């Protein structure tokens, strides 16, 4: 198996982390976090991939060949739900920060009082 998917997941992770570190906007930080979490999708798909594998859904037949691991698929779906929830929560927090502080630049935010 090729190492290309692992390298792609690493590159996506590093791109997201770089965006979070260099960002001057809270909404941009949330989007970069979403990109960083998307690297886990690629990683999970890479781990669960089997060449020539079939879906693990059978009603009355027995599998004859390779079957893709359903646990990895369930983890990927759970990861998508967690990503959507975290993104929604962080965007709501960014909106509240903008309302109360008047800015979404992290350097201009005043300390908690």
């Amino acid at each position: 198996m090729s190492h290309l998917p692992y390298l792609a997941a690493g590159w996506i992770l590093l791109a997201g982390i770089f965006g979070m570190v260099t960002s001057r906007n809270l909404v941009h930080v949330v989007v970069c976090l979403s990109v960083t979490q998307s690297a886990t999708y690629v990683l999970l798909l890479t781990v669960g991939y089997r060449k020539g594998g079939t879906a693990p859904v059978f009603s009355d037949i027995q599998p004859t060949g390779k079957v893709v691991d359903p646990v990895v698929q369930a983890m990927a779906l759970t990861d998508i739900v967690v990503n959507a929830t975290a993104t929604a929560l962080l965007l709501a927090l960014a909106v509240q920060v903008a309302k109360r502080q008047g800015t979404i630049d992290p350097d201009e935010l005043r300390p908690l009082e």
Side-chain angles (χ1 to χ4, degrees), residues 17-94:
I17 290 173
F18 177 77
M20 283 190 293
V21 169
T22 61
S23 179
R24 307 276 302 166
N25 186 329
L26 290 178
V27 175
H28 187 258
V29 170
V30 172
V31 170
C32 289
L33 180 66
S34 249
V35 169
T36 303
Q37 289 176 331
S38 296
T40 59
Y41 307 157
V42 176
L43 186 62
L44 285 171
L45 290 175
T46 302
V47 168
Y49 176 76
R50 282 193 149 173
K51 188 173 184 174
T54 60
V57 180
F58 304 103
S59 59
D60 59 349
I61 59 171
Q62 294 291 79
T64 56
K66 296 179 186 176
V67 178
V68 179
D69 188 8
V71 174
V72 177
Q73 294 175 0
M75 288 174 61
L77 287 173
T78 304
D79 194 18
I80 291 169
V81 171
V82 169
N83 185 9
T85 305
T87 301
L89 176 68
L90 291 173
L91 286 174
L93 287 173

